[in-house]
Amino acid sequence: MDGKGLSVKNQNMAKVELKISGMSCAACSARIEKRLNKVAGVAKASVNLATERANIEYDADKVKTDDLIKIVDDLGYKAERIENISKDREKEQREKEIKKLKAELIASAILSSPLILAMVFMLTGIDVPFLHNEYFQLVIATPVQFIIGLRFYRNAYHAIKARSANMDVLIAMGTSAAYFFSVYNAFFAHPVEMGMMKELYFEASSTIITLILLGKYLEAVAKGKTSEAIKKLMGLQAKTARVVRNGVEEDIPVEEVQVGDIIVVRPGEKIPVDGRIIEGNSSVDESMLTGESLPVEKKVGDFVTGATINKFGTFKFEATKVGKDTVLSQIIKMVEDAQGSKAPIQKIADRVSGIFVPAVIGIAVVTFAAWYLATGELNSAIVNAVSVLVIACPCALGLATPTAIMVGTGKGAEKGILIKGGEHLEMAYKLNSVVLDKTGTITKGKPEVTDIIPLGSMEKNEIVKLSAVAEKASEHPLGVAIYEKGKSEFGAIPDPAKFEAIPGRGVAAVFDDKNIYIGTRKLMKEKGLDISKIESDIAKLEDEGKTAMLMAVDDRVEAILAVADTVKEHSGEAIEQLLKMGIDVYMITGDNERTAKAIAKQVGITNVLAEVLPENKAEEVEKLKKQGRIVGMVGDGINDAPALATADIGMAIGTGTDVAMEAADITLMRGDLRAIPTAIKLSRRTMRKIKQNLFWAFIYNIIGIPFAAFGLLSPIIAGAAMAFSSVSVVTNSLSLKRYDPEK
């Protein structure tokens, strides 16, 4: 092993999520991220402006969380561990900030109004002495500049202290230039001629601050709406649970439920936590998890999920998962993580933001110098430089991507589609090939024995019994079907003396001194058994879409067992949708080619990868990737996990195993394959919104800065345009909420 491998192995890697307050634009988040990534021991740091969160992976032996918090605090922001902030407190903080912004906005607007009125009168040639009085204007402009505008100065100070620049630096510089130039003209410049009004720009500095506060207020309100999916999910949680303790039923807060508690649920009530039914039966509405409207029948031994709704019967269940371990809590955490993640496209905005503000300051200096040297007019030079500073604030750039991802992942959660992160959302947009596992994905995964063909002297009853014994310990769906067939006919099935699963081929067992083999042609051939005479019988069954398995006892092939797995109701419709979207669809299975093609034909798939051993599924996916394809893999079993991890996008059917879901990038909470085109459509629409947002954010600055530099924009118009650019980006992202990818 090389040195790098050793160092990774020895690292005590940890993760922490921090809540960061005080960020105003993309330059802020970029600066914090850059600083954190420079810290020794930090493997990766990602800062999201929209969610105000930082996700950090670090070596706990080299750096502590408190050190990371101090680094952020030293940059002029406030950082806290996310787990130390309750949802209520976070909501309270957000509402407090919105109230503060609203109060500042109202005060600023009231104070700025006379100044704007004075400007209008001046432009129309009307002289209203008290409105145009320099002392009056100074008195009402000063609190706007230095009390209401204190937040911009404070943040600008911290930015400059950290040898960086952000939006607040631009605002502080621009408004200060307008304010102090007005003070100079009012009290220190040469007296103006009788009847002439002094050139004052107090209205520009005050109005810019007012408009930016308006933009920040609207942005804060809109950003709150982007996380409504989380609020909805949290609102699904039951508040109380009816627990049986000491033989008595009592209602307790759901937070106090412990693993092992016995809980009673009556018709119409929410199931408070996850658990297993121990008494009674019912139908449960699981639409909040899966999007599936039909209730699911539940009986003793079945598992129920917290926040789902009991429809009819009363039952008791034992709590198995509570608090943060419940399925709903895990879903909420997954959605939160996804909303806090970054899509690769965000890197464009991050790179631009890092150099943007210093570049704008440079352009403003050049603008001032050029106008002053060309015209000799200090007024024009300062006004145009201020316009450049104000219009160029990169707020919209920082919000373009994360707000769309927040709404997109939230929309996915509503549809039972859990997307783990922004990078997966972006990659899903690029998919041009989808590989579908057959068993449990295209098909129901619950096959039944359809045919038993004796080939020797053994009776059907004996064939059924011996095959059930051999498959009793099998976990393969086909083996389970054979065991269930025997169980239904004979009741209790004895255990074999020996059992061995042979991956991709079948099983071997010993019972009553008989060596029993059940499996594929390959298995029979490996055991040296001749099956040439029964090939036509096998082929006939396979042409019917059935899986034919051979049963041998000792050294003789005794029977053909045919098992059929029925296709899921909507598989054909989902595949048709994918093909219409221009996506190539492949089916991958361990079944022989003839059987596989029969199933594929039923659902409209022409690309079939048959007789693929579980360990080779990932190889087949890799082959497709090497052809230049962007591949999505969809599966549900443990054996699909390597392929899910290998694919560009792994999608796990939520009805499958935890291992598959862990390995996947997207989890489809219900077994309906129509969720696949829905997820891809949602990804495409979200990426379209991101590109629109970035386009307008870039275009706005590309067009706005030259206009301001050439004197075609007043500082007030520049301030309004800058403020509303952020709002327009967030509003465009919010329009995703109205999009229905299922239509």
Side-chain angles (χ1 to χ4, degrees), residues 670-684:
R670 61 180 192 245
D672 191 339
L673 292 194
R674 290 178 297 179
I676 302 169
T678 299
I680 297 171
K681 285 177 185 175
L682 180 62
S683 167
R684 289 180 176 182

Side-chain angles (χ1 to χ4, degrees), residues 702-742:
I702 289 167
I703 295 174
I705 291 173
F707 266 72
F710 286 107
L712 300 173
L713 282 180
S714 73
I716 292 174
I717 294 171
M722 190 281 291
F724 284 101
S725 67
S726 298
V727 178
S728 64
V729 161
V730 178
T731 305
N732 188 44
S733 294
L734 284 172
S735 67
L736 264 174
K737 292 173 75 174
R738 297 193 299 272
Y739 173 61
D740 187 356
E742 292 180 344

Side-chain angles (χ1 to χ4, degrees), residues 4-19:
K4 188 179 177 181
L6 278 169
S7 65
V8 171
K9 189 177 179 180
N10 293 335
Q11 282 177 352
N12 181 17
M13 298 305 292
K15 291 183 180 179
V16 68
E17 188 174 14
L18 303 179
K19 172 75 175 175

Side-chain angles (χ1 to χ4, degrees), residues 20 29 46 50 84 104 134 154 167 309 359 464 508 537 583 633 637:
I20 298 179
S29 55
S46 176
N84 294 343
E104 289 178 352
E134 57 267 35
R154 189 189 296 117
M167 166 187 132
I309 300 169
V464 171
D537 295 321
I583 295 170
M633 170 72 196

Side-chain angles (χ1 to χ4, degrees), residues 646-718:
T646 303
D648 295 296
I649 288 289
M651 298 187 194
I653 302 292
T655 51
T657 64
D658 291 342
V659 176
M661 290 166 69
E662 189 64 33
D665 307 308
I666 298 174
T667 299
L668 312 173
M669 292 304 293
R670 61 180 192 245
D672 191 339
L673 292 194
R674 290 178 297 179
I676 302 169
T678 299
I680 297 171
K681 285 177 185 175
L682 180 62
S683 167
R684 289 180 176 182
R685 181 59 67 96
T686 304
M687 286 304 300
R688 190 188 304 172
K689 290 292 179 187
I690 289 173
K691 287 178 177 180
Q692 287 171 358
N693 288 348
L694 287 173
F695 172 79
W696 288 113
F698 279 121
I699 285 295
Y700 158 81
N701 283 305
I702 289 167
I703 295 174
I705 291 173
F707 266 72
F710 286 107
L712 300 173
L713 282 180
S714 73
I716 292 174
I717 294 171

Side-chain angles (χ1 to χ4, degrees), residues 52 58 71 132 159 355 412 485 530 535 548 585 650 742:
E52 298 180 331
Y58 63 98
I71 287 166
H132 294 132
I355 59 170
K485 172 74 173 174
D530 182 19
E535 279 286 356
V585 182
E742 292 180 344

Side-chain angles (χ1 to χ4, degrees), residues 22 50 208 347 414 463 491 496 553 725:
I208 287 167
K347 291 176 183 175
E414 288 176 19
I463 292 169
V553 179
S725 67

Side-chain angles (χ1 to χ4, degrees), residues 292-346:
E292 183 61 58
S293 58
L294 292 174
V296 181
E297 296 298 321
K298 299 287 184 180
K299 61 184 186 301
V300 173
D302 289 344
F303 284 89
V304 290
T305 306
T308 57
I309 300 169
N310 181 28
K311 299 295 285 185
F312 304 116
T314 298
F315 63 85
K316 291 181 182 178
F317 75 95
E318 180 187 355
T320 57
K321 290 181 180 179
V322 300
K324 292 181 179 179
D325 296 327
T326 64
V327 169
L328 181 63
S329 294
Q330 293 296 317
I331 289 172
I332 291 170
K333 181 70 171 70
M334 191 181 288
V335 175
E336 283 180 333
D337 289 347
Q339 292 188 340
S341 67
K342 284 191 177 185
I345 198 169
Q346 175 69 20

